[in-house]
């Protein structure tokens, strides 16, 4: 099991479930060091006081909140730990809601909750089965990294998952975003878009992978081995800002999606759209004319040979 990040308990009414939090995800990003290009030495970040320009050690650094430009209040870790919060060491279930009422924008990091010891097995299973048999998820409050957070409990493959959530006032209104003005969209276009969505529907996302990371790893491997880098792929897409025929694009997309599903209607796969390999009619006509000309020449040759034999 991954290293626990937090230990406490789920509070479900009068039921207490000792649990440990472990991360549900892994970071597979490629991470770089900052280096001095002249000699490849590591470049470090120094913590310097802006008043006396002196480097300070970690035990000299504390938390400060600026009330005014001339007044800063310090808060110690001990003071934070002693705050009278009921969620300090508990994931307190506050309510249950229908799963489809949760706005995905509010969901942040995800964690698995592992039962902490034999005593937690029965209440853990009780909560898991209650969530499995309903269409609801549990909304909870918990303390994490020096602040109280809102959480969501649901079941994934037999494990209770805790999703950290944004508070309602942390989600910006869509009025802050530049959305397109109202434009005319025909019913036929909407139907084609729905048909395209249906053709592109798949049941499993496990086939997706990080192509950027793979390309970056190839660059690193090539440079480490002194090999030349691959040439960048040509951009086959349309120029930015070019006006396209929406219906033509939808029709072509639907046709490509249908072809990608195969003859038996399997799940859609992603294929690169390439020009058709069918021979144009002009080429066919040209080949036919060439064939007729060749046949005529052969016939004339046979007649000439026959006359020569008769003359002899």
């Amino acid at each position: 099991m991954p290293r626990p990040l937090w230990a406490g308990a789920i509070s479900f009414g009068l039921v207490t479930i000792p649990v440990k939090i472990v991360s549900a995800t892994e970071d597979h990003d490629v991470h770089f060091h900052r280096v001095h290009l002249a000699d490849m030495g590591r470049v470090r970040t120094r913590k310097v006081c802006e008043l006396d320009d002196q480097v300070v050690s970690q035990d000299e650094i504390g938390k400060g909140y600026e009330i005014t430009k001339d007044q800063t209040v310090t808060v110690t870790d001990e003071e934070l730990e002693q705050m009278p919060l009921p969620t300090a060491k508990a994931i307190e279930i506050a309510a249950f809601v229908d799963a489809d009422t949760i706005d995905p924008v509010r969901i942040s990091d995800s964690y698995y909750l592992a039962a902490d010891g034999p005593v937690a097995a029965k209440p853990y299973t009780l909560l898991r089965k209650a969530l499995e048999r309903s269409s609801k998820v549990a909304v909870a409050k918990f303390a994490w990294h020096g602040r109280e957070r809102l959480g969501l409990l649901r079941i994934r493959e037999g494990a209770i998952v805790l999703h950290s959530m944004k508070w309602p006032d942390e989600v910006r209104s869509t009025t802050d975003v530049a959305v397109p003005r109202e434009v005319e969209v025909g019913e036929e276009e909407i139907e084609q878009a729905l048909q395209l969505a249906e053709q592109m529907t798949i049941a499993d996302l496990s086939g997706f992978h990080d192509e950027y990371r793979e390309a970056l790893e190839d660059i690193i491997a090539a440079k480490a081995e002194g090999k030349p880098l691959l040439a960048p792929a040509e951009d086959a897409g349309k120029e930015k800002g070019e006006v396209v025929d929406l219906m033509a694009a939808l029709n072509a997309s639907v046709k490509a999606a249908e072809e990608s599903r195969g003859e038996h209607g399997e799940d859609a796969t992603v294929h690169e759209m390439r020009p058709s390999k069918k021979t144009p009619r002009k080429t066919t006509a040209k080949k036919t004319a060439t064939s007729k000309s060749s046949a005529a020449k052969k016939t004339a040759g046979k007649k000439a040979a026959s006359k020569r034999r008769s003359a002899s």
Side-chain angles (χ1 to χ4, degrees):
M1 188 178 73
R3 182 176 63 86
L5 305 174
W6 180 93
I10 300 175
S11 175
F12 176 31
L14 298 179
V15 178
T16 299
I17 311 170
V19 292
K20 292 180 179 180
I21 288 181
V22 297
S23 181
T25 58
E26 294 180 315
D27 179 12
H28 289 169
D29 288 346
V30 176
H31 297 279
F32 294 99
H33 294 307
R34 293 181 299 173
V35 297
H36 184 198
L37 295 177
D39 54 16
M40 292 298 108
R42 287 281 297 276
V43 176
R44 306 285 184 176
T45 300
R46 302 171 66 202
K47 298 175 182 179
V48 178
C49 175
E50 65 178 19
L51 296 180
D52 57 21
D53 200 31
Q54 297 296 312
V55 177
V56 294
S57 61
Q58 186 59 42
D59 58 0
E60 295 178 284
I61 300 174
K63 297 180 176 68
Y65 182 84
E66 185 179 282
I67 297 176
T68 65
K69 187 175 181 180
D70 299 321
Q71 183 183 10
T72 299
V73 174
T74 61
V75 179
T76 66
D77 292 336
E78 292 75 13
E79 290 169 339
L80 293 175
E81 292 174 359
Q82 293 172 7
M83 285 193 305
L85 281 178
T87 56
K89 279 295 182 180
I91 301 170
E92 183 181 357
I93 295 178
F96 289 83
V97 298
D98 292 330
D100 57 5
T101 63
I102 299 297
D103 185 351
V105 171
R106 296 182 60 182
I107 296 178
S108 186
D109 297 326
S110 302
Y111 306 92
Y112 289 137
L113 299 183
D116 191 4
V119 71
K122 187 170 183 176
Y124 186 100
T125 304
L126 172 65
L127 178 59
R128 186 192 71 198
K129 288 187 177 295
L131 289 171
E132 284 175 338
R133 293 189 186 183
S134 70
S135 60
K136 301 183 185 301
V137 292
V139 177
K141 295 170 68 177
F142 65 104
W144 184 255
H145 294 312
R147 57 173 292 196
E148 188 173 58
R149 299 174 184 266
L150 196 62
L152 182 72
L153 297 180
R154 69 175 185 89
I155 306 303
R156 182 180 187 273
E157 298 178 357
I160 299 176
V161 182
L162 169 66
H163 297 288
S164 177
M165 293 181 64
K166 300 291 185 183
W167 293 99
D169 60 357
E170 291 181 316
V171 179
R172 289 175 175 162
S173 170
T174 55
T175 57
D176 299 333
V177 183
V179 296
R181 59 181 176 82
E182 288 295 327
V183 295
E184 289 286 337
V185 179
E187 284 298 321
E188 187 179 356
E189 293 170 326
I190 297 174
E191 288 299 323
Q192 283 286 60
L194 290 173
Q195 186 178 351
L196 176 59
E198 184 63 29
Q199 292 290 345
M200 295 178 66
T201 299
I202 61 176
D204 184 16
L205 298 179
S206 60
F208 286 91
H209 58 281
D210 188 348
E211 296 184 38
Y212 178 86
R213 190 189 77 210
E214 292 174 356
L216 183 56
E217 289 173 343
D218 290 341
I219 290 176
I220 293 171
K223 298 198 75 171
E225 297 172 8
K227 296 180 179 179
L229 302 182
L230 295 176
E234 294 183 3
D235 186 8
K238 293 183 176 295
E239 292 295 328
K240 184 178 180 181
E242 183 178 348
V243 178
V244 297
D245 184 332
L246 184 57
M247 277 304 297
L250 284 170
N251 286 329
S253 300
V254 170
K255 184 178 179 181
E258 288 174 345
E259 292 175 354
S260 73
R261 298 182 74 89
E263 297 179 355
H264 305 292
E266 299 92 345
D267 286 342
T269 54
V270 179
H271 296 288
E272 182 181 358
M273 294 182 66
R274 299 180 183 276
S276 173
K277 293 184 179 180
K278 293 182 180 179
T279 307
R281 291 183 179 180
K282 290 183 178 179
T283 305
T284 305
K286 185 178 179 180
K287 286 186 176 179
T288 303
T290 304
S291 299
K292 288 182 179 180
S293 176
S294 299
K297 288 180 180 179
K298 288 182 180 179
T299 302
K302 288 181 180 180
K303 288 182 178 180
S306 178
K307 288 182 178 180
R308 286 196 297 270
R309 285 196 297 271
S310 298
S312 62

